[in-house]
Amino acid sequence: MFIREKHRRNKDGTVVTYLPLVENRRVEGEARQRNLFTELSLVYFDTTSTYVEGSNPEELASFGYSRDRRPDRRQLCLGVVVTREGIPVAHLLLPGRTADPEAFREAIGYLVEGLGLSRVVICCDRGMVSEGNLEALREAGLSYIVAIRMRRSKALGELILSRAGRYREVEGNLWVKEVKVAEEGDRYILCYNPYRAEEDRVAREAIVAQLKEKISSGSVRRLLRGAARRYVRTEGGKVELDRRKVAEDARYDGKWILRTNTDLPPAEVALGYKGLWQVEEAFRTLKTPLELRPIYHWSESRVRGHVMVCVLAFIMRQHLRLKLKGMGWEGSFSGLLEALGRVRATEVEDRAGHKYRFRDEIPAEAMPAFRALGMALPKRVEKVS
């Protein structure tokens, strides 16, 4: 397998980096390339931020929203497209000031123009969704599964929540039902997690109890700040608990709404969306332990190279994980990697000028990696020159 980095310069002069994967296979003596995307049915896209030390590169580094809670540092925006198995197949590096919907439009453009996709379902979270982006997906011939913001799309959310119908249990923590919305070309799937609903109820009741205590004691200065402010109202200078708002919020417990233009069954739509955690897992691993952040390089090319090396390391990590899973191994993956990290090799030179490499003993915890990859153990002592 080989990987080729590509770039595209936008109209505003910014450069976007993409990392498409192409597999090179030799079948019956004939080499051929197979674009991995030809077999993809569902991909996930999301963005995160990372930060640089210093003010360069100016083309990329800019102050913006930091998901690492480092607003004092200049940010970069990283978008990643991963498969259902969690393998990255493309990444985009954008200026740190890039908003999620804008990053999503860049991803759409590359998936269609750069990779020639036409038969794929792209799944993304609420922050990416806008009517303009959905229209762009439809014009590109791409299918989608997206979540909608129920509280921001209040009229639509209320309409869907008010429709009668029975849920179908897909899993213990996932119930679904399709809701018909007149004059809508897309389909809407109402999802419900009873366990999450209980968590939401307990959290809300705790907030309400604290609000009642503060209101009764006259300590209301901070009631109009934070998430709790939606449960209070002021009337004639007096702060009161808004019981109507509390009851209204309870209707959302454990529920979310998915929007799709596919013809997939509701259960498959919901299960497909649940796989979005794969992108979050990629971001967590890229940042720790693969040390995507912080970035100390100053030139744009070196920053892009740093990000690409981190993504490549994650790809290798994920392929090893899948190989281990395929052989039925159920051990600790982090323990296996830690054991591999303890193996060192030392080069020594004798008086005649010959060089030899001595390796440490390979821990038993690391052996499954060699079996999964079909690799022979490196020699304990090897003559280098």
Side-chain angles (χ1 to χ4, degrees):
M1 175 176 293
F2 61 89
I3 299 172
R4 300 181 301 191
E5 185 177 2
K6 294 184 178 180
H7 307 282
R8 186 178 72 184
R9 186 170 295 277
N10 297 325
K11 294 180 180 179
D12 62 0
T14 59
V15 179
V16 183
T17 299
Y18 304 101
L19 183 67
L21 299 189
V22 178
E23 185 176 5
N24 188 12
R25 287 187 174 182
R26 185 171 297 276
V27 180
E28 297 179 352
E30 179 183 357
R32 67 181 183 181
Q33 296 178 354
R34 181 174 60 84
N35 191 325
L36 293 180
F37 271 115
T38 59
E39 294 185 357
L40 295 181
S41 58
L42 177 66
V43 295
Y44 301 103
F45 176 75
D46 205 350
T47 62
T48 190
S49 63
T50 186
Y51 59 92
V52 299
E53 293 290 345
S55 59
N56 289 317
E58 295 182 354
E59 298 83 355
L60 289 174
S62 60
F63 288 107
Y65 175 68
S66 174
R67 292 173 175 84
D68 301 318
R69 299 182 181 178
R70 292 305 304 266
D72 59 323
R73 297 292 188 268
R74 294 179 186 269
Q75 306 295 313
L76 305 175
C77 176
L78 174 64
V80 176
V81 181
V82 304
T83 67
R84 188 190 291 266
E85 292 78 23
I87 304 294
V89 287
H91 82 269
L92 300 81
L93 191 57
L94 301 163
R97 62 182 177 273
T98 308
D100 283 349
E102 183 181 347
F104 188 49
R105 286 193 294 275
E106 289 287 349
I108 295 171
Y110 178 64
L111 292 176
V112 176
E113 299 172 15
L115 297 178
L117 294 188
S118 60
R119 297 178 60 83
V120 68
V121 180
I122 186 167
C123 181
C124 58
D125 212 347
R126 298 170 177 83
M128 305 290 171
V129 178
S130 69
E131 286 300 326
N133 283 350
L134 295 183
E135 181 61 29
L137 282 170
R138 287 190 288 267
E139 290 178 356
L142 298 179
S143 300
Y144 52 82
I145 298 172
V146 299
I148 68 170
R149 298 179 184 271
M150 288 195 292
R151 290 181 175 85
R152 289 191 181 180
S153 307
K154 193 170 182 180
L156 178 61
E158 288 293 325
L159 175 64
I160 292 174
L161 289 174
S162 64
R163 292 293 175 87
R166 297 183 62 181
Y167 285 100
R168 174 191 171 191
E169 183 174 347
V170 180
E171 296 175 344
N173 63 346
L174 178 61
W175 301 0
V176 300
K177 69 176 177 180
E178 184 168 353
V179 177
K180 303 293 184 181
V181 178
E183 300 180 357
E184 279 280 353
D186 288 349
R187 300 162 58 219
Y188 292 88
I189 313 299
L190 179 59
C191 305
Y192 175 66
N193 182 339
Y195 304 110
R196 178 61 183 272
E198 179 63 16
E199 293 175 358
D200 292 343
R201 183 189 66 79
V202 171
R204 184 181 57 259
E205 289 182 353
I207 292 174
V208 170
Q210 291 180 352
L211 288 175
K212 288 180 178 179
E213 182 180 347
K214 290 179 179 180
I215 291 174
S216 62
S217 65
S219 177
V220 298
R221 179 173 296 180
R222 297 183 179 181
L223 293 184
L224 302 181
R225 302 177 186 174
R229 69 177 179 225
R230 68 179 184 269
Y231 293 146
V232 296
R233 63 182 179 183
T234 56
E235 189 170 334
K238 182 181 180 182
V239 178
E240 299 178 340
L241 184 67
D242 192 338
R243 298 185 181 279
R244 182 190 63 80
K245 189 64 177 178
V246 173
E248 179 182 302
D249 233 30
R251 300 183 63 204
Y252 296 98
D253 287 356
K255 296 173 184 174
W256 66 97
I257 298 172
L258 301 179
R259 179 177 178 177
T260 182
N261 63 345
T262 70
D263 57 2
L264 295 172
E268 290 188 26
V269 173
L271 289 173
Y273 179 79
K274 284 186 68 175
L276 198 58
W277 66 268
Q278 297 275 13
V279 190
E280 293 299 325
E281 175 67 17
F283 290 150
R284 283 192 295 269
T285 305
L286 284 168
K287 294 180 178 182
T288 306
L290 297 182
E291 300 182 359
L292 174 69
R293 61 179 183 189
I295 298 174
Y296 295 99
H297 303 292
W298 287 8
S299 70
E300 180 178 345
S301 61
R302 287 184 177 271
V303 168
R304 293 185 181 279
H306 172 85
V307 174
M308 184 175 182
V309 167
C310 291
V311 174
L312 287 173
F314 180 73
I315 291 170
M316 295 172 66
R317 181 187 177 102
Q318 290 299 89
H319 276 291
L320 175 58
R321 187 193 292 270
L322 291 176
K323 289 283 188 179
L324 290 165
K325 181 180 179 181
M327 61 181 277
W329 182 77
E330 298 180 352
S332 168
F333 187 65
S334 60
L336 179 144
L337 294 179
E338 191 275 332
L340 284 172
R342 297 201 305 267
V343 181
R344 297 287 188 271
T346 305
E347 284 193 3
V348 297
E349 184 175 344
D350 64 15
R351 293 180 179 179
H354 301 298
K355 294 182 179 180
Y356 298 86
R357 182 182 296 117
F358 294 82
R359 70 158 173 83
D360 296 338
E361 187 69 31
I362 298 178
E365 298 89 342
M367 290 300 184
F370 292 92
R371 294 197 297 271
L373 298 174
M375 293 177 57
L377 295 179
K379 296 179 180 179
R380 187 69 186 274
V381 180
E382 184 178 10
K383 187 175 180 180
V384 179
S385 65

